[in-house]
Amino acid sequence: TALSQPTHHGVQRVRLADYDVRLALDKEYHWFVALISDREHRSKDRLAGGRIERMHVPQSLVAPLAHADQVEAATIYAQAGFWYEAIAAVSDVIDAASADSELRELRATLLDQVGLREVAAADRG
């Protein structure tokens, strides 16, 4: 699917639901994104990819998440290894308060944890 060009710099998000994509439970998916800067010379594309698996939220997290705000939820998800949910939760809050440097630091820390140091540095900057 071709995505629209971003309207602002920084971390971008792709919501699968916006493209009518639904992930089946307990199935691993591999995803890829290509930044195409020159359609005539595709060898210049910048590629990124990863994997994701949709899982049920463990019962042990249900009560803590029910009483958590978005920032607390991000921390709960991160501690439990639900990285995409952690990033989504903190990104939702950043979308509402983009100037908050503490929120950006939290997201940058999550990005650092998975080796996305350049992205984390850009988010901090």
Side-chain angles (χ1 to χ4, degrees):
T1 299
L3 305 176
S4 301
Q5 186 171 359
T7 58
H8 62 281
H9 71 283
V11 174
Q12 303 297 311
R13 111 176 34 195
V14 176
R15 289 184 172 96
L16 298 181
D18 292 347
Y19 298 92
D20 294 323
V21 174
R22 305 284 185 253
L23 302 181
L25 279 169
D26 302 320
K27 182 176 178 184
E28 184 174 293
Y29 296 87
H30 296 265
W31 60 264
F32 301 92
V33 175
L35 177 62
I36 303 168
S37 59
D38 184 345
R39 292 196 181 279
E40 300 299 317
H41 300 95
R42 295 296 306 272
S43 62
K44 295 180 181 181
D45 289 2
R46 298 201 55 184
L47 303 173
R51 62 182 180 84
I52 188 169
E53 181 179 351
R54 181 174 168 220
M55 302 171 64
H56 285 288
V57 174
Q59 193 61 37
S60 61
L61 299 184
V62 172
L65 288 169
H67 301 290
D69 63 26
Q70 285 292 89
V71 175
E72 292 166 336
T75 302
I76 292 167
Y77 281 130
Q79 290 172 342
F82 287 85
W83 191 83
Y84 286 104
E85 284 77 5
I87 285 288
V90 75
S91 294
D92 285 344
V93 180
I94 289 171
D95 287 352
S98 61
D100 189 323
S101 62
E102 288 182 25
L103 295 173
R104 291 193 175 277
E105 180 58 35
L106 175 57
R107 184 167 65 186
T109 299
L110 290 169
L111 294 165
D112 277 334
Q113 289 173 355
V114 295
L116 296 173
R117 287 171 181 51
E118 288 181 33
V119 179
D123 212 21
R124 286 182 175 108

